[in-house]
């Protein structure tokens, strides 16, 4: 029937019919193309596409893959920068740990004598300073390690607990101290401040440089010399009962000299307990008020902190807390860092700057004292009593020594 109808059509009608069919096909194709494009755009903005991509169900062109990689890298970089910034701004503990890491990894050979990283060795430092974003961030902030003159001095008193104080306060990540007694102000002053600075540890911004030499307290030239270096220097003084201190001083000397005379023979004149030998070093040092007067000529009392040697042994966390407050430090070192060794009768450390395992300060700490006659001890207490009372008045602290 269709063929019969087609044969009956005139040529004109045939042409019209063909054109109508072509038009219908074109309109249908255009409509479908627009519909597909619109659906594609809607799907691109839909989170489902990311799901399909992440599960490898959506094919990606090379351009899309490159664009996605670039976007991910930018997002990761932004996240890393934000994280580093937040660590620097808000996390004091992270900064303190970072400072410790720098000091563990840096050696003096990496750093020039003026405190900066030398050009000759800078090529060997990428694994230290450029190994992670943390070190790059510190370097961008100008936090390269360098040597500085001390901000704080432990000036005395000998055999009162100065070594214990130094080791305890060095647990704080913001305190760096010279390991040995430098004796600059009493023995090596003529060598100059450049020599002194060279003996200080490397520090970064925000850390305190500290040095301990107990003989500074009793050397008459030292107060003026320290004031000349820095009038704002903070001074730490550990004191203990002068009688006990004198016996401890004698015990240390006797351990190095086997033929040393008895304590009683050295502390008194002519073998009688009537006259105390004030020229003998262990006795002379215990007259604290005499030496403090010289220091107060150059420094206000507010720049000196007096630490009880007895309490430093019995309650180290308390005294170290006072020291941290005095130095303007956060109280990081607490009772959790200490344990008491009943055998030595001395506090020991669960960890320290040099060692991460529990240990005591050394064999010389907590050394047993020789027997001293009671009459000699009582005579020395009578001798020191007026000087002790004057010292209490000068410091505003009653140490309650016998």
């Amino acid at each position: 029937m269709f063929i019969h109808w087609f044969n009956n059509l005139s040529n004109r009608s045939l042409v019209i019919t063909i054109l109508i069919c072509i038009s219908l096909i074109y309109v249908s194709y255009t409509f479908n193309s627009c519909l597909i494009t619109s659906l594609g755009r809607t799907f691109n903005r839909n989170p489902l596409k990311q799901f399909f991509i992440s599960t490898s169900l959506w094919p990606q062109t090379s351009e899309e893959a490159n664009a996605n990689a670039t976007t991910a890298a930018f997002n990761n970089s932004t996240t890393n920068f934000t994280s580093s910034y937040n660590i620097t701004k808000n996390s004091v503990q992270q900064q303190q740990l970072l400072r410790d890491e720098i000091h563990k990894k840096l050696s003096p050979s990496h750093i020039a004598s003026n405190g900066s990283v030398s050009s000759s060795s800078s090529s060997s430092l990428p694994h230290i300073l450029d190994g992670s974003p943390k070190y790059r961030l510190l370097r961008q902030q100008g936090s390269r390690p360098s040597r500085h003159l001390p901000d704080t001095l432990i000036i005395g008193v000998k055999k009162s607990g100065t070594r214990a104080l130094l080791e305890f306060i060095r647990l704080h990540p913001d305190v760096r101290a010279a390991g040995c007694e430098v004796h600059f102000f009493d023995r090596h002053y003529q060598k100059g401040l450049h020599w002194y600075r060279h003996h200080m540890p490397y520090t970064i911004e925000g850390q305190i440089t500290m040095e301990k030499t107990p003989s500074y307290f009793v050397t008459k030239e030292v107060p003026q010399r320290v004031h000349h270096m820095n009038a704002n220097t903070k001074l730490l003084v550990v004191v203990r009962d002068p009688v006990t201190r004198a016996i401890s001083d004698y015990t240390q000397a006797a351990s190095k000299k086997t033929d040393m005379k008895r304590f009683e023979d050295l502390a008194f004149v002519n073998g009688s307990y009537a006259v105390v030998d004030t020229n003998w070093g262990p006795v002379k040092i215990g007259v604290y008020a005499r030496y403090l007067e010289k220091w107060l000529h150059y420094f206000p009392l507010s720049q000196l902190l007096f630490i009880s040697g007895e309490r430093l042994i019995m309650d180290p966390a308390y005294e170290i807390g006072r020291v941290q407050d005095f130095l303007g430090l956060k109280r990081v070192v607490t009772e959790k860092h200490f344990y008491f060794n009943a055998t030595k009768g001395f506090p020991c450390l669960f960890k320290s700057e040099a060692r991460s395992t529990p240990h005591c300060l050394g064999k010389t700490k907590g050394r047993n004292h020789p027997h001293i006659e009671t009459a000699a001890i009582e005579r020395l207490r009578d001798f020191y009593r007026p000087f002790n009372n004057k010292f209490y008045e000068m410091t505003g602290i009653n140490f309650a020594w016998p």
Side-chain angles (χ1 to χ4, degrees), residues 20-198:
I20 291 173
C21 291
I22 292 174
S23 298
L24 291 173
I25 293 172
Y26 176 78
V27 170
S28 176
Y29 173 79
T30 303
F31 173 80
N32 290 333
S33 297
C34 292
L35 180 61
I36 292 174
T37 300
S38 178
L39 290 174
R41 289 176 179 175
T42 302
F43 187 75
N44 282 336
R45 290 193 291 264
N46 195 293
L48 287 175
K49 180 182 178 181
Q50 299 300 324
F51 170 77
F52 287 132
I53 291 176
S54 64
T55 56
S56 301
L57 297 177
W58 182 272
Q60 286 182 279
T61 64
S62 61
E63 290 80 8
E64 288 178 328
N66 291 336
N68 288 333
T70 302
T71 302
F74 175 79
N75 290 336
N76 289 337
S77 175
T78 303
T79 302
N80 289 337
F81 174 79
T82 303
S83 177
S84 299
Y85 174 79
N86 289 335
I87 288 174
T88 302
K89 181 178 179 181
N90 297 324
S91 178
V92 174
Q93 292 181 346
Q94 290 293 336
Q95 291 183 9
Q96 292 167 348
L97 291 174
L98 184 54
R99 289 169 181 158
D100 286 345
E101 290 180 37
I102 289 179
H103 288 291
K104 289 178 182 177
K105 294 185 178 182
L106 281 176
S107 63
S109 61
H110 289 137
I111 306 178
S113 60
N114 63 356
S116 59
V117 178
S118 61
S119 58
S120 61
S121 61
S122 59
S123 59
S124 65
L125 289 177
H127 67 288
I128 296 176
L129 295 179
D130 298 325
S132 70
K134 296 185 295 184
Y135 296 113
R136 289 197 297 271
L137 184 60
L138 274 182
R139 188 181 64 178
Q140 291 168 1
Q141 294 176 339
S143 296
R144 284 188 180 276
S146 58
R147 299 185 194 267
H148 300 275
L149 293 172
D151 313 284
T152 304
L153 294 175
I154 301 176
I155 60 175
V157 176
K158 180 183 179 183
K159 304 311 298 177
S160 294
T162 56
R163 171 54 61 178
L165 173 63
L166 180 67
E167 294 303 319
F168 294 167
I169 194 59
R170 285 172 72 180
L171 294 173
H172 200 293
D174 282 341
V175 174
R176 301 286 295 171
C180 61
E181 297 174 5
V182 181
H183 285 280
F184 171 69
F185 292 105
D186 59 348
R187 298 181 188 175
H188 305 292
Y189 191 67
Q190 71 282 359
K191 295 182 180 179
L193 292 175
H194 178 75
W195 179 91
Y196 190 35
R197 182 185 292 108
H198 183 70

Side-chain angles (χ1 to χ4, degrees), residues 185-254:
F185 292 105
D186 59 348
R187 298 181 188 175
H188 305 292
Y189 191 67
Q190 71 282 359
K191 295 182 180 179
L193 292 175
H194 178 75
W195 179 91
Y196 190 35
R197 182 185 292 108
H198 183 70
H199 285 75
M200 293 299 105
Y202 288 101
T203 57
I204 60 175
E205 184 179 355
Q207 289 185 314
I208 291 174
T209 302
M210 185 179 295
E211 191 249 319
K212 174 192 82 79
T213 299
S215 57
Y216 288 165
F217 184 71
V218 299
T219 305
K220 63 180 181 180
E221 299 87 1
V222 171
Q224 182 180 13
R225 292 172 176 178
V226 174
H227 185 271
H228 178 71
M229 177 192 72
N230 182 3
N232 295 318
T233 302
K234 292 188 176 182
L235 308 169
L236 303 177
V237 188
V238 190
V239 291
R240 69 192 293 196
D241 174 15
V243 176
T244 307
R245 195 221 67 80
I247 297 173
S248 180
D249 200 347
Y250 167 81
T251 302
Q252 182 183 49

Side-chain angles (χ1 to χ4, degrees), residues 190-373:
Q190 71 282 359
K191 295 182 180 179
L193 292 175
H194 178 75
W195 179 91
Y196 190 35
R197 182 185 292 108
H198 183 70
H199 285 75
M200 293 299 105
Y202 288 101
T203 57
I204 60 175
E205 184 179 355
Q207 289 185 314
I208 291 174
T209 302
M210 185 179 295
E211 191 249 319
K212 174 192 82 79
T213 299
S215 57
Y216 288 165
F217 184 71
V218 299
T219 305
K220 63 180 181 180
E221 299 87 1
V222 171
Q224 182 180 13
R225 292 172 176 178
V226 174
H227 185 271
H228 178 71
M229 177 192 72
N230 182 3
N232 295 318
T233 302
K234 292 188 176 182
L235 308 169
L236 303 177
V237 188
V238 190
V239 291
R240 69 192 293 196
D241 174 15
V243 176
T244 307
R245 195 221 67 80
I247 297 173
S248 180
D249 200 347
Y250 167 81
T251 302
Q252 182 183 49
S255 68
K256 302 176 183 178
K257 187 178 180 181
T258 57
D259 60 343
M260 196 167 184
K261 293 182 179 180
R262 295 191 314 146
F263 176 86
E264 294 88 340
D265 296 333
L266 296 170
F268 301 94
V269 178
N270 298 327
S272 170
Y273 296 160
V275 181
V276 176
D277 188 353
T278 56
N279 291 320
W280 187 44
V283 170
K284 186 178 181 180
I285 291 174
V287 186
Y288 304 141
R290 180 182 302 170
Y291 302 106
L292 180 57
E293 287 178 343
K294 297 178 181 178
W295 283 93
L296 293 179
H297 285 317
Y298 295 94
F299 294 92
L301 190 62
S302 60
Q303 284 180 228
L304 288 89
L305 180 69
F306 299 91
I307 297 100
S308 169
E310 289 85 4
R311 193 156 191 173
L312 186 62
I313 294 175
M314 300 306 298
D315 190 1
Y318 174 82
E319 290 296 338
I320 295 302
R322 293 180 61 235
V323 173
Q324 291 174 98
D325 293 343
F326 177 71
L327 298 179
L329 298 171
K330 181 181 179 181
R331 286 201 175 198
V332 173
V333 184
T334 61
E335 61 275 356
K336 68 181 180 181
H337 292 88
F338 305 98
Y339 70 96
F340 192 80
N341 187 310
T343 302
K344 294 178 70 67
F346 208 83
C348 299
L349 303 173
F350 282 113
K351 65 177 182 177
S352 69
E353 185 179 46
R355 297 172 59 181
S356 59
T357 57
H359 65 282
C360 296
L361 297 183
K363 295 181 180 180
T364 62
K365 304 304 176 184
R367 185 192 286 118
N368 292 327
H369 292 175
H371 173 73
I372 308 297
E373 293 184 12

